[in-house]
Amino acid sequence: MPTAVWTGHDLLNGKPVETLTIIFCTTGCYWGMGEGCTMCGYVNDSADSKPSDDDLLAQFARAADKSTPRTSLIKIFTSGSFFDEGEIPSLARKRILEAIGEMGSVKKVVAETRPEFVTEIRLHDTLAVLDRYDISFEIAMGLETSNDTIRNDCINKGFTFAEFIRASQTAANMGVTTKAYLLLKPPFLSESMAVDDMLSSISDTAPYASTISLNLCNVQNGTLVEELYNHKDYRPPWLWSAVTILRTAKAKYSHITFMSDPVAAGSKRGPHNCGECDKDVAQVLRDFSLSQDIGILLDVDCHCYSLWEKVIELEDYAYGSYLIK
Ligand code: SF4
Ligand SMILES: [Zn+2]
C-alpha cells in the first residue's frame, strides 16, 4: 500500500488540471534515518523492510485506481527521494514511469528528490521513458531556504544552496524544470525573521525555479520542532505571514508560479491566526495557488491582522519567546 494517495487540482501551463498525488511507501529518506531534519516526521511513514520492485509497482497500481481519464499531472513523493536508488531502484522507477505513460492522460510528472540524487544519468533514464509518451518532467526539491546558516542550524537539512543550484542547472540543461519548496518559519526564528527569510529566499531562488511552493511549518510527531513546541518554544507561522509573502513575491516575480497548501491550518500545531479567520485565510492561499490572482490575497481581512503586525514588530525583542499563541 502507498503511504497516501489523493486527487486534487494544480496548475499546468497556467490552467487548473486534475492531479494525482502518490506517496510511495519506501524505506524512507536516508537523511531522515540518520540525522534528519528538525521538522520532519516522515521517517514514521517508512516501511519496515525494503519493498521489492513488484511491491512498488503494486503501490502505483493501487494509486492509479484513484485517477480519472482527466488526470493530467502526477506528483510523486516517497517521504524521501524518488531518485534515491536505495528507495526506488532504477528498474522500478522505469516501470512506474512507463505505467504512468500507459495511463494515456498524463501530461506532466513531478517527482520529489534531494539534490544530491539529481544526476544526468537519472534524468536521462527518466526522460527516455517520459519523452516516448510526450510527458514533461519536473523535479521538486525541499530547498527550505536559500540561507545556508538557517538551513544548517535551524533545519539540519544537510545540503547547501550551491548543491540545489547545481541540481536545478543540471535539470534545466536537459529541459527539466524545478519546483522549490521553501519552509516558512523553521524553529529558532521570530515571525519577522521568518518572513524576511522567505522573501530573500524567493529572490535567490527565482532564477532556478519555475514554481515555488511555500510550505508553512507544522508540528509533526517525534521531531525537534515538537519538543520545542511542547516547551512553548515554538509557534507555527501566522497565515498572515504567508499572505504577505505571496503578495509581495507574486508582484515581483509574476512569471513564477507560487503555491501554498497550508497543512493543518487552523490547528494549534499548524499555521494559524486568531482561530476565527483561519479557515478563510487558508482557503485564500489555496485559491491564490490555483488562480495566481494577487487580488484574492488582497481581499481578506480580520481583526487579528493588526495583532500579527504587532508580532512582526515586537517579537524580535522577546528573547526567542513567541508573543501570541
Ligand atoms: S525533510 Fe526531506 S530531507 Fe529532511 S528528513 Fe524529511 S524527507 Fe528527509
Ligand atoms: Zn483572525
Side-chain angles (χ1 to χ4, degrees), residues 279-297:
K279 230 174 126 215
D280 291 346
V281 181
Q283 192 54 44
V284 155
L285 294 174
R286 295 188 188 106
D287 290 347
F288 164 76
S289 301
L290 270 189
S291 67
Q292 297 295 295
D293 175 4
I294 252 178
I296 292 178
L297 296 172

Side-chain angles (χ1 to χ4, degrees), residues 38 44 65 82 146 165 178 194 237 267 295:
T38 55
N44 305 326
D65 283 346
F82 184 60
S146 64
I165 293 174
T178 292
S267 74

Side-chain angles (χ1 to χ4, degrees), residues 240 273-278 302-305:
W240 289 129
N273 287 345
C274 67
E276 285 170 38
C277 65
D278 293 345
C302 179
H303 59 82
C304 72
Y305 186 84

Side-chain angles (χ1 to χ4, degrees), residues 57-97:
L57 253 294
Q59 287 187 34
F60 177 76
R62 283 294 271 272
D65 283 346
K66 291 209 172 174
S67 67
T68 77
R70 291 173 306 284
T71 300
S72 307
L73 174 60
I74 296 219
K75 301 196 257 185
I76 300 175
F77 298 87
T78 67
S79 303
S81 296
F82 184 60
F83 278 162
D84 181 353
E85 287 289 317
E87 288 188 67
I88 310 250
S90 48
L91 190 59
R93 198 157 51 233
K94 179 168 178 272
R95 289 171 65 194
I96 289 166
L97 294 169

Side-chain angles (χ1 to χ4, degrees), residues 28-43 78-81 87 112-116 142 144 155-159 220:
C29 173
Y30 88 93
W31 181 253
M33 300 296 170
E35 295 195 33
C37 301
T38 55
M39 74 305 184
C40 178
Y42 293 156
V43 75
T78 67
S79 303
S81 296
E87 288 188 67
E112 191 179 42
T113 182
R114 284 174 61 95
E116 60 265 43
E144 319 300 7
I155 306 176
N156 194 39
K157 192 82 191 185
F159 65 77
Q220 299 181 4

